[in-house]
């Protein structure tokens, strides 16, 4: 027969084991919740990186687009966002350095090596593909040279027979969207519009695609009434160029030569941010300081000597193949 002392010891052991089991289960649950929280934190940083990339891709990187955007998970708490990018030369896709950004528990980081450019005597080039980059010039910078001394690479295009060429034109002043349509020949494609710069600092050349802001031509569209009605009923409308400018996080913009690059976006939005550019008459009021044109080399000859061209800079080029289906002939 068990004594009271023996029964007390058994009861104490049971309570101890019960406490151990409950504590273990609670600790395991807390560890699982902590792990889930850390995974969600890393995933959130990854999603933020994607949102930043999508917005900046629409307002920077002249004539650069992408056709893939995907994650590669490196661990439970880190990964890489990758995008394959290209340029459009009159409807022909040409390779452009891919984008990679890393994310983890502590934040997101872009790979600067794929984004950078380097300067040489013959121009500005992408760092990885060694592809010539089309440069814009700030006509407001202090000490800016007169138009006659600025690069006029249009003259070299005629020496590139049977090629498709990308050229950046910097205007002598800002022109409206409507005026630009009348200035550019119909057999050249307008791929991209530069908003220009208000800075008087020593930022003369806009030779880095990350810090050159403007609009892809596809984001300067208008809707017909039937489409707008359907979009309204569906409570969804396609984003415009101005919508993306408004979404841009000012913390992503650097300061160059003491000048905050976000000022250019902010200044543009002060002028045009209230316009609904889905309406043709509103879109036509937008002003731009330059454009990216693409097309057959021989079609650029008609632009030589135009007084409204302050500077011109050749970008990417490829041989024109007989099987290419061009947007502009």
């Amino acid at each position: 027969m068990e004594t009271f002392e023996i029964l007390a010891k058994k009861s104490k052991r049971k309570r101890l084991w019960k406490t151990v089991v409950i504590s273990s289960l609670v600790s395991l649950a807390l560890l699982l919740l902590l792990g889930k929280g850390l995974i969600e934190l890393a995933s959130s940083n990854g999603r933020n990186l994607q949102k930043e990339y999508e917005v900046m891709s629409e307002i920077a990187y002249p004539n650069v687009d992408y056709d893939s955007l995907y994650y590669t998970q490196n661990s439970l708490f880190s990964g890489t966002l990758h995008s394959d990018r290209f340029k459009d030369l009159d409807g022909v896709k040409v390779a452009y350095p891919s984008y990679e950004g890393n994310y983890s528990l502590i934040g997101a980081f872009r790979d600067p090596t794929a984004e950078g450019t380097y300067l040489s005597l013959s121009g500005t080039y992408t760092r990885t593909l060694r592809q010539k980059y089309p440069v814009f010039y700030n006509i407001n910078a202090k000490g800016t040279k007169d138009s006659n001394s600025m690069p006029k690479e249009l003259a070299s295009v005629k020496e590139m027979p049977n090629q498709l060429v990308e050229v950046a034109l910097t205007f002598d002043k800002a022109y409206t969207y409507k005026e630009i349509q009348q200035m550019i020949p119909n057999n050249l494609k307008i791929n991209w519009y530069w908003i220009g710069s208000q800075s008087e600092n020593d930022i003369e050349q806009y030779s880095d695609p990350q810090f050159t802001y403007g609009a892809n031509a596809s984001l300067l569209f208008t809707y017909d009434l039937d489409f707008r009605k359907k979009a309204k009923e569906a409570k969804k409308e396609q984003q415009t160029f101005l919508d993306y400018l408004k979404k841009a996080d000012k913390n992503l913009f650097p300061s160059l030569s003491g000048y905050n690059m976000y000022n250019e976006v902010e200044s543009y939005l002060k002028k045009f941010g209230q316009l609904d550019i889905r309406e043709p008459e509103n879109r036509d009021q937008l002003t731009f300081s330059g454009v990216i044109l693409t097309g057959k080399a021989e079609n650029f000859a008609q632009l030589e000597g135009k007084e409204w061209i302050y500077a011109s800079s050749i970008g990417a080029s490829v041989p024109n193949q007989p099987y290419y289906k061009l947007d502009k002939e």
Side-chain angles (χ1 to χ4, degrees):
M1 187 173 180
E2 294 182 335
T3 64
F4 178 78
E5 184 178 352
I6 293 173
L7 289 173
K9 287 182 178 180
K10 285 184 176 181
S11 177
K12 186 177 181 180
R13 282 197 297 270
K14 283 183 179 180
R15 288 197 301 271
L16 178 62
W17 279 110
K18 186 176 180 180
T19 301
V20 169
V21 170
I22 292 175
S23 298
S24 297
L25 290 174
V26 170
S27 298
L28 180 60
L30 289 175
L31 284 173
L32 290 174
L33 287 174
L34 177 61
K36 184 177 180 181
L38 292 175
I39 291 173
E40 176 56 31
L41 175 60
S43 298
S44 177
N45 288 334
R47 291 192 294 271
N48 289 337
L49 179 65
Q50 179 178 340
K51 290 177 183 177
E52 291 172 1
Y53 172 75
E54 289 174 340
V55 171
M56 297 306 289
S57 291
E58 298 297 349
I59 68 170
Y61 302 101
N63 191 28
V64 175
D65 207 342
Y66 61 94
D67 53 11
S68 71
L69 185 61
Y70 58 88
Y71 295 102
T72 300
Q73 193 167 1
N74 303 326
S75 70
L76 284 175
F77 308 121
S78 65
T80 300
L81 178 66
H82 182 94
S83 178
D84 295 306
R85 301 188 291 185
F86 63 91
K87 286 198 166 191
D88 174 356
L89 269 60
D90 201 8
V92 176
K93 292 183 178 181
V94 177
Y96 187 80
S98 61
Y99 166 91
E100 281 198 351
N102 299 309
Y103 63 91
S104 64
L105 290 173
I106 59 176
F109 313 91
R110 288 179 287 179
D111 179 7
T113 58
E115 303 285 281
T117 59
Y118 78 95
L119 298 175
S120 73
L121 293 176
S122 59
T124 303
Y125 291 79
T126 58
R127 190 165 294 280
T128 53
L129 290 182
R130 299 300 193 258
Q131 181 187 87
K132 193 170 185 304
Y133 176 74
V135 176
F136 289 104
Y137 293 84
N138 179 16
I139 63 174
N140 296 314
K142 290 180 180 177
T144 297
K145 303 171 185 177
D146 61 68
S147 177
N148 292 330
S149 60
M150 297 303 292
K152 294 288 196 303
E153 296 184 357
L154 267 176
S156 299
V157 178
K158 61 175 174 286
E159 300 176 23
M160 304 170 65
N162 199 37
Q163 290 197 56
L164 301 175
V165 186
E166 173 191 50
V167 178
L169 299 184
T170 301
F171 301 146
D172 62 339
K173 64 176 183 178
Y175 289 91
T176 66
Y177 177 88
K178 186 175 183 179
E179 289 172 329
I180 294 170
Q181 308 314 303
Q182 298 167 350
M183 293 156 57
I184 304 302
N186 290 330
N187 57 359
L188 290 173
K189 181 177 181 179
I190 306 176
N191 294 68
W192 199 83
Y193 297 79
W194 182 42
I195 65 174
S197 175
Q198 304 304 312
S199 171
E200 294 184 356
N201 289 27
D202 295 331
I203 307 174
E204 181 181 326
Q205 297 183 34
Y206 279 68
S207 56
D208 193 319
Q210 300 177 82
F211 312 138
T212 308
Y213 311 118
N216 189 308
S218 64
L219 294 181
L220 294 172
F221 55 83
T222 55
Y223 287 155
D224 59 47
L225 292 176
D226 288 339
F227 186 92
R228 294 202 68 178
K229 182 179 179 181
K230 292 176 182 178
K232 188 175 182 179
E233 290 173 352
K235 296 183 179 179
K236 182 180 180 182
E237 285 191 315
Q238 189 173 348
Q239 299 293 291
T240 70
F241 158 58
L242 293 179
D243 293 328
Y244 282 108
L245 282 185
K246 293 172 185 176
K247 289 182 178 180
D249 183 349
K250 63 181 179 181
N251 295 318
L252 297 177
F253 293 78
S255 292
L256 301 178
S257 301
Y259 176 73
N260 190 323
M261 300 299 286
Y262 182 73
N263 291 349
E264 308 200 339
V265 172
E266 190 174 45
S267 175
Y268 200 83
L269 286 175
K270 284 181 179 178
K271 291 181 180 178
F272 304 112
Q274 302 306 312
L275 293 179
D276 180 1
I277 60 172
R278 295 174 179 86
E279 301 289 350
E281 61 272 19
N282 291 335
R283 179 198 58 188
D284 289 346
Q285 297 177 43
L286 297 177
T287 62
F288 299 98
S289 296
V291 291
I292 296 282
L293 301 179
T294 62
K296 293 179 179 180
E298 54 267 29
N299 291 345
F300 283 90
Q302 56 200 311
L303 291 176
E304 287 189 51
K306 297 292 185 182
E307 294 182 355
W308 45 265
I309 298 178
Y310 176 76
S312 55
S313 173
I314 295 174
S317 60
V318 293
N320 185 16
Q321 303 295 348
Y323 52 83
Y324 284 158
K325 302 298 182 184
L326 305 180
D327 290 337
K328 299 282 188 176
E329 291 289 349

